[in-house]
Amino acid sequence: MCGIVGAIARRNVSKILIEGLSRLEYRGYDSSGIAINNEQGVFSHRAVGKVQALKDKFAAEPLDGTMGIAHTRWATHGKPTENNAHPHSSGDDLALVHNGIIENHETLRAQLKAQGYVFKSETDTEVIVHLIHNELKTQPDLLKAVQATLAQLEGAFAIAVVNHADKERFVAARKGSPLVVGVGIEENFVASDQLALLHVTDQFIFLEEGDVVEVTRDEVVIYDQQGEPQARPVSVFNHNVDATDKGEFRHYMMKEIYEQPKVINACLEGRISENKVLTSCFGADSDFLKEVENVHIVACGTSYHAGLVAKYWIEDLAGVPCAVEVASEYRYRNVAVPKNTLFLTLSQSGETADTLAALRKAKEQGYLTTLAICNVPSSTLVRESALTLLTNAGAEIGVASTKAFTTQLTALLITSVAIAVEKGLSAEKESALVQAMRSLPAYVNAALLQDEHIQKVSDRFANKQHALFLGRGAMYPIALEGALKLKEISYIHAEAYPAGELKHGPLALVDENMPIITMVPHNDMLDKLKSNMQEVAARGGELYVFADRSTNLHNEDNIIFTEVPKVEEILEPIVHTIPLQLLSYHVAVVKGTDVDQPRNLAKSVTVE
Ligand code: G6P
């Protein structure tokens, strides 16, 4: 992960770079740094902790110049110390920032040490800057030195490098990690994400794998992996609202939770008519729907949980076998691909390294086609997949995914129904499902009305160390997601189980100190789940029950009841997600953790 920014202008770029880092902090926030290349030389500031620490250092000792690079770090190699923070330098004149992992760094480090290079950090990054320095000894052109260096690197990277001898340009490159070019007037930029540059431009060029770019004030020259100059199109960013604004909310996460009715609506828009799913949403080539005989879904984290819900929907509605797997496992094993299998990836960012690697592998495996359900139209995943269904959630800043998840579920429901229609789902059933989907934004709004009640319930979690989440059927993945949210932002250890598995082990953990959060569906599993709840109550466990009123569940001695709106069964996983998001949010606030930027995590995991 990590975020990088680079700028060259006629004005001072230091404030632009630091603002860019603040906007990229979601990618990593354990340390940050900046290097300015001005008339006097290349000067750096680095600081441990959030970007604010760098800002403080900067305020005490300003650095000005018209060219610079900056970095916010999520540690992979070496602890979050000032020495390990980027930029890294070689000699006095060369500084570099890097996002990604250099897999052969140990071999390169040994070679460089043998040549007399002294390493000041524990990072894999430092080998890159020394290699460039070494190349510059034999040929002084920065672009050529970078190209020669990249040829020696294995792994994933996006880099930006400044050299004191080069007053008119800096050089950047990407392979395996994201990098965009921001095009301005008499000034140009690079960054890990467009968001970092929205304060200076809305024109962007998306670099391809292996591209190296020479950035001057007036021009951006792109070379492909073979060193050939390439023209890449400029696209205009079209978000009406700047998502980096928290508005009236204390945290991005809460803002994003409350945006869900609106973004679910945006996800449905143009994809359903009065009573049908519009298959045109998959692009001109929706013929694949007729041929699908199997589905393989691959994703990571929260996106993986969305995939697990879709398995229930696809097998139930379409009768099509569906397997769901985490990308970090899928990419490294031999997979058996039955004829006519759809390969479906889910990703908020579209830049998750394991998911991208899985897609690239799948493209060699004879799948029917590849479909990405993704939130970022310009992402690598979208560009490399044959088909795309965008979730339209708008930028998500909070590290814990909320609106991205519920819009993924919405897009998956659309996809499940579209496949089912081709497999003979009746027009009547399709129409009923589409009507239900249309009500989703209102149901989600109704679920949000429990916010105040859930806030009170959350106080009871302040001293808890562990929690157990239970669900059955499509609610089991929602229990998994609820547990993940709680872990991510409140640091309470939480696990999820299919309620029927309780007696096969986790029941041993149940006592008065163990809160049991139960997602109650209103279907033929209700009575079975009530029996599971009895098993818990009999052992003195405290039950937090989320259910609709018609389940006849209510507050009792050891039951804390939270009402969830009564909705069509197919929608329950989406609507039941909302109270769990609110619960984890409020528990985190009670515990005083950093809600939007929890420790050790990052929003976009572009390393393995
Ligand atoms: C990180 C984030 C999670 C996210 C996962 C997959 O771990 O912190 O919130 O679910 O990556 O990300 P993706 O962008 O592929 O959905």
Side-chain angles (χ1 to χ4, degrees), residues 258-278:
Y258 270 84
E259 278 173 355
Q260 289 175 111
K262 186 180 84 190
V263 296
I264 288 174
N265 205 29
C267 181
L268 289 169
E269 208 180 306
R271 276 95 187 249
I272 51 173
S273 70
E274 198 57 29
N275 45 21
K276 284 194 160 318
V277 163
L278 301 172

Side-chain angles (χ1 to χ4, degrees), residues 247-366:
E248 71 199 73
F249 294 94
R250 188 167 154 203
H251 297 101
Y252 285 112
M253 181 179 177
M254 199 52 148
K255 173 186 173 229
E256 289 158 3
I257 288 174
Y258 270 84
E259 278 173 355
Q260 289 175 111
K262 186 180 84 190
V263 296
I264 288 174
N265 205 29
C267 181
L268 289 169
E269 208 180 306
R271 276 95 187 249
I272 51 173
S273 70
E274 198 57 29
N275 45 21
K276 284 194 160 318
V277 163
L278 301 172
T279 53
S280 55
C281 66
F282 298 102
D285 187 14
S286 60
D287 281 358
F288 77 96
L289 291 167
K290 292 191 181 65
E291 292 166 49
V292 176
E293 289 172 30
N294 280 280
V295 181
H296 284 179
I297 301 180
V298 174
C300 302
T302 289
S303 298
Y304 167 68
H305 294 155
L308 290 175
V309 174
K311 178 182 167 71
Y312 287 88
W313 289 339
I314 292 171
E315 298 204 347
D316 177 35
L317 297 172
V320 167
C322 175
V324 191
E325 191 168 355
V326 286
S328 53
E329 287 299 317
Y330 175 93
R331 65 182 287 191
Y332 287 118
R333 70 179 187 90
N334 291 326
V335 283
V337 183
K339 194 164 149 266
N340 287 333
T341 302
L342 168 68
F343 184 79
L344 200 169
T345 50
L346 296 167
S347 175
Q348 187 285 126
S349 62
E351 302 294 350
T352 303
D354 285 322
T355 309
L356 283 173
L359 170 66
R360 287 169 189 155
K361 171 186 171 140
K363 283 163 113 175
E364 312 292 316
Q365 305 283 322

Side-chain angles (χ1 to χ4, degrees), residues 379-444:
S379 63
T380 312
L381 193 74
V382 166
R383 280 181 280 133
E384 294 191 11
S385 298
L387 303 161
T388 304
L389 186 60
L390 292 175
T391 43
N392 296 341
E396 192 181 64
I397 310 279
V399 165
S401 190
T402 52
K403 63 176 182 169
F405 177 66
T406 47
T407 52
Q408 280 173 344
L409 289 175
T410 308
L412 283 164
L413 187 53
I414 293 168
T415 309
S416 309
V417 176
I419 298 172
V421 168
E422 294 300 339
K423 302 293 158 198
L425 187 83
S426 70
E428 200 185 333
K429 189 85 198 283
E430 181 183 9
S431 172
L433 288 164
V434 169
Q435 299 309 322
M437 284 186 220
R438 208 175 283 293
S439 311
L440 247 180
Y443 289 148
V444 170

